[in-house]
């Protein structure tokens, strides 16, 4: 009798942890299916037939042309931005050992947004490729500020989160100030305030692509280092990991990834917080398994948010960042309460 | 001697813990650091393992300052089990033990048969094989401690430093862990240096004992040399009676409670 009860409580490794590839594969298939569906949802309804035509390079008819010009960049961006934000959040949560860490929570998102916007307004006609580095500088600045303000002999997760929210609010005020001084069109304003994929073209895709293509594999190669950091500084160093150096580099990668996402899609929140969480729930603490699935959760969330935004009340566009905030806000509060205990 | 601290000053920020500490870990021997809480045992062990850079003096590993050697190179020579351990969330026992191979692996290479062998061996000798698929955060304190020791052994180093490896363990597992370390020392010539709190376990297993108090080395030597009622009184402020172990003949220290101290002054004088 008693042994049966004990046996029930011995939680073994989940199936997902045993077969990570199968689960990552299914998530990937789901994301691809959703992408195709997303290509056909929009202000003008396009049939699946046209979508397939467009994707196979047959853009002779008008509907297919719409898909290629307007829908395809958005879907590609949903993949790139979702991946960048989710991986960035996953790295931050691992390095800071803080379940509340995420690019938006530690101020990087709004800092990057402010800097990117400032650059575009200060130097009209600046090449778009310069926006990511500017956003990166802003993101670093904001993260540094949070670190300085929150760090007192080891900042607690909740303390970092609270300081991060305050610093984010300050940068958001900066964004609003810039908007008041330089009235932009509504879509640009929405992008910088809440984040959206509205009106993005292939040039945005090329803007973020190199960052994701370089940094995500780099992070995956370093996944085991990330795991080792999770064992605590002493044991990590005892296992031969130069803790401070590895931590700084990984955080730089994370800030760069998030900034590149902000540069093309604005200040979309919560994806970097939620996606890695969902992945860790399923895959446990090993980053080589959890980061790819975090990325796919990020992609799914982005596709979903963008689709809802487009499809709910066409031709009205609800910015994707608003949708993620509606989902993410309560989730963040739940985590805050749970972690604060 | 492969590992020694030469006149090191150890400090956390401005707070100096040890001013001038010299420790030489005897090769292929089992050494034990003993001393009251806060006496600097963990601090000394951390310095010996390159985790804490000394503000003066230096730690020498194989004739070279340990801070001139890369952390990875050190990790291939020396394993350390810190006193405070962070259990990562939802990770299996086997995966945790695999971290012991980290210093031997590069990022892209697949694990070698030698890695696999080391992990299996470490789990076997620590009796953690049956636990391999369980979550570490759901083990009992003692089971978990054995998994940490397995991780440390999987590193496959000749120098092994352990900070209180027997905490949480019941007497059977304490003996098992110490027997295992003793056996590794005897059969493979491994150098073991560890912090223990139990005098009698220390006397039983140590070839060499370092006694620390307030960041200084009070005395060192064989268990017979250092476990005397006098030393125990000066270091711990505790009255005790030291008698030979009925079987092994090693010194056994029996602390005396208040009542006994006043009742047997003559017995104390004899110690
Ligand atoms: N990370 C730290 N920062 C500041 N002071 C510390 C730190 N770690 C230890 N100390 C201080 O250094 C002194 C020695 O601590 P240490 O951990 O070396 O003692 P110990 O002999 O291992 O004690 P115990 O038996 O309780 O483990 C103590 O006064 C402690 O307060
Ligand atoms: Mg200690």
């Amino acid at each position: 009798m008693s042994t049966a009860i004990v046996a029930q409580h011995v939680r073994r490794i989940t199936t997902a942890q045993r077969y990570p590839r199968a689960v990552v594969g299914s998530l990937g298939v789901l994301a691809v299916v959703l992408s195709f569906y997303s290509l056909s949802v929009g202000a003008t309804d396009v049939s699946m037939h046209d979508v397939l035509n467009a994707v196979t390079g047959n853009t002779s008819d008008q509907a297919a042309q719409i898909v290629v010009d307007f829908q395809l960049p958005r879907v590609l961006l949903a993949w790139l931005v979702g991946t960048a934000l989710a991986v960035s959040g996953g790295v931050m949560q691992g390095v800071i050992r803080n379940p509340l860490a995420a690019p938006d929570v530690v101020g990087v998102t709004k800092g990057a947004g402010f800097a990117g916007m400032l650059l575009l307004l200060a130097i009209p006609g600046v090449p778009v490729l310069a926006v990511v580095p500017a956003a990166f500088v802003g993101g670093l600045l904001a993260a540094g500020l949070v670190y300085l303000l929150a760090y007192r002999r080891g900042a607690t997760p909740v303390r970092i989160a609270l300081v991060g929210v305050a610093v984010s609010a300050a940068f958001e005020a900066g964004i609003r100030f810039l908007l008041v001084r330089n009235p932009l069109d509504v879509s640009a304003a929405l992008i910088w305030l809440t984040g959206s994929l509205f009106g993005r073209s292939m040039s945005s895709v090329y803007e973020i692509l190199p960052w994701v293509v370089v940094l995500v594999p780099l992070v995956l190669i370093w996944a085991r280092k990330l795991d080792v950091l999770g064992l605590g500084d002493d044991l990590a160093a005892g296992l031969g990991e130069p803790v401070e150096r590895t931590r700084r580099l990984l955080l730089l990668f994370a800030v760069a990834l998030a900034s590149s996402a902000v540069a093309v899609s604005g200040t979309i929140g919560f994806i970097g917080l939620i996606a890695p969480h969902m992945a860790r729930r399923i895959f446990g603490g090993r980053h080589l398994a959890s980061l790819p699935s975090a990325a796919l959760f990020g992609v799914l969330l982005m596709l979903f948010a963008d689709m809802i935004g487009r499809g709910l009340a066409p031709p009205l566009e609800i910015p994707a960042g608003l949708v993620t905030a509606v989902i993410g806000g309560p989730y963040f509060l739940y985590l805050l309460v749970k972690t604060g205990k | 001697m492969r590992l020694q601290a030469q006149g090191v000053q150890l400090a956390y920020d401005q707070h100096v813990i040890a001013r001038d500490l010299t420790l030489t870990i005897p090769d292929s021997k089992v050494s034990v650091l003993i001393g009251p809480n806060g006496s600097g045992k963990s601090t000394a062990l951390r310095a010996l393992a390159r985790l804490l850079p000394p503000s003066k003096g230096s730690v020498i590993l194989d004739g070279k300052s340990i801070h001139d050697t890369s952390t990875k190179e050190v990790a291939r020579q020396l394993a350390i089990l810190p006193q405070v351990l962070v259990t990562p969330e939802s990770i299996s026992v086997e995966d945790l033990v695999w971290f012991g191979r980290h210093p031997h692996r590069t990022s892209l290479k697949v694990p070698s048969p030698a890695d696999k062998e080391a992990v299996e061996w470490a789990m076997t000798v620590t009796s953690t094989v049956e636990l391999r698929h369980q979550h570490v955060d759901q083990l009992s304190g003692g089971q978990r401690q054995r998994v940490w020791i397995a991780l440390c052994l999987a590193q496959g180093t000749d120098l092994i430093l352990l900070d209180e490896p027997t905490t949480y363990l019941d007497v059977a597992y304490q003996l098992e862990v110490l027997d295992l370390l003793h056996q590794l020392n005897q059969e493979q010539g491994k150098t073991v240096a560890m912090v223990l709190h139990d005098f009698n376990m220390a006397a039983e297993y140590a070839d060499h004992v370092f006694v620390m108090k307030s960041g200084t080395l009070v005395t060192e030597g064989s268990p017979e040399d250092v476990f005397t009622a006098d030393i125990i009184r000066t270091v711990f402020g505790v009255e005790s009676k030291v008698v030979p172990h009925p079987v092994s003949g090693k010194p056994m220290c029996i602390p005396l409670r208040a009542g006994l101290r006043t009742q047997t002054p003559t017995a104390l004088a004899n110690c």
Side-chain angles (χ1 to χ4, degrees), chain A:
Chain A
M1 173 69 204
S2 67
T3 47
I5 291 169
V6 171
Q8 255 182 2
H9 283 273
V10 176
R11 202 181 73 205
R12 288 178 175 258
I13 298 303
T14 61
T15 323
Q17 270 171 290
R18 237 3 120 78
Y19 308 102
R21 281 191 200 137
V23 181
V24 171
S26 338
L27 283 175
V29 169
L30 194 62
V32 169
V33 170
L34 201 62
S35 299
F36 274 96
Y37 182 65
S38 171
L39 285 173
S40 71
V41 180
T44 32
D45 260 324
V46 181
S47 74
M48 213 26 113
H49 174 76
D50 296 321
V51 169
L52 288 177
N53 266 349
V55 172
T56 52
N58 180 1
T59 53
S60 51
D61 68 72
Q62 199 194 357
Q65 195 60 46
I66 289 177
V67 169
V68 169
D69 289 347
F70 297 101
Q71 314 287 70
L72 191 61
R74 292 179 80 139
V75 170
L76 291 177
L77 278 177
W79 277 78
L80 292 166
V81 169
T83 300
L85 291 175
V87 171
S88 171
V91 170
M92 286 183 186
Q93 287 169 15
V95 172
I96 314 179
R97 270 179 243 137
N98 177 345
L100 294 175
D104 37 336
V105 177
V106 301
V108 168
T109 306
K110 294 289 179 194
F114 177 73
M117 194 181 168
L118 195 63
L119 178 80
L120 286 174
L121 290 175
I123 315 174
V126 68
V128 286
L129 286 179
V131 180
V132 177
F136 180 52
V137 171
L140 271 185
L141 210 74
L145 207 59
V146 170
Y147 180 81
L148 281 181
L149 292 174
Y151 196 82
R152 242 180 245 154
R153 280 200 164 271
T156 65
V158 173
R159 190 179 158 84
I160 289 186
L162 292 180
V163 174
V165 168
V167 169
S168 294
F171 277 104
E172 176 157 344
I175 293 176
R176 284 178 192 278
F177 177 73
L178 290 179
L179 279 175
V180 172
R181 293 289 302 269
N182 309 270
L184 299 172
D185 60 88
V186 177
S187 78
L190 277 181
I191 284 179
W192 293 116
L193 273 178
T194 63
S196 163
L197 297 178
F198 178 72
R200 303 277 94 177
S201 66
M202 282 312 274
S203 81
S204 296
V205 174
Y206 300 135
E207 206 180 317
I208 180 176
L209 188 69
W211 296 77
V212 173
V213 166
V214 172
L215 290 176
V216 170
L218 210 56
V219 167
L220 288 179
I221 289 171
W222 278 30
R224 206 174 60 241
K225 290 172 180 284
L226 208 47
D227 294 341
V228 168
L229 288 184
L231 298 173
D233 289 3
D234 271 5
L235 192 53
L239 290 171
E241 200 52 49
V243 174
E244 271 311 316
R245 199 179 69 195
T246 306
R247 181 155 43 212
R248 281 204 200 112
L249 274 173
L250 278 166
L251 281 179
L252 271 186
F253 296 165
V255 172
L257 273 172
S259 304
S260 70
V262 172
V264 297
S265 67
T267 55
I268 292 183
F270 297 108
I271 289 191
L273 178 75
I274 300 176
H277 252 276
M278 292 162 95
R280 255 210 324 273
R281 281 246 161 131
I282 300 180
F283 289 99
R286 290 187 62 216
H287 288 92
L288 193 57
S290 75
L291 284 177
S293 59
L296 286 170
F297 276 125
V299 171
L300 285 169
L301 283 168
M302 272 306 288
L303 285 169
F304 182 71
D306 185 50
M307 256 166 53
I308 296 228
R310 272 187 287 161
L312 208 58
L316 206 72
E317 278 260 0
I318 299 168
L322 211 59
V323 180
T324 62
V326 168
I327 307 169
Y331 196 92
F332 179 58
L333 285 178
Y334 157 74
L335 282 178
L336 201 63
V337 170
K338 210 178 75 166
T339 314
K341 265 190 208 147

Side-chain angles (χ1 to χ4, degrees), chain B residues 3 5 15 17 28 31 36 42 107 127 132 138 153 156 165 197-198 204 209 213 216 225 229 236-237 243 246 260 270:
Chain B
L3 183 63
H15 185 45
I17 306 298
S28 304
S31 339
S42 300
S107 290
S127 328
R132 72 192 314 154
Q138 291 175 341
L153 295 181
H197 274 298
D198 186 323
E204 221 34 60
V209 181
K213 187 188 180 185
T216 57
D225 293 340
F236 289 92
V243 296
L260 293 178
N270 293 343

Side-chain angles (χ1 to χ4, degrees), chain B residues 40-94:
Chain B
K41 305 178 296 294
S42 300
T43 307
L45 212 63
R46 294 184 69 227
L48 285 169
R50 197 190 186 276
L51 303 181
L52 178 69
S55 36
K56 283 191 198 134
S58 57
V59 173
I60 307 290
L61 172 65
D62 293 330
K64 209 170 135 195
S65 166
I66 202 167
H67 277 274
D68 293 341
T69 315
S70 79
T71 165
K72 189 158 192 162
E73 190 47 46
V74 171
R76 290 177 179 154
Q77 311 294 330
L78 178 159
I80 171 132
L81 186 68
Q83 181 173 7
V84 180
L85 297 158
V86 186
T87 310
E89 56 177 329
S90 41
I91 188 168
S92 73
V93 166
E94 184 172 2

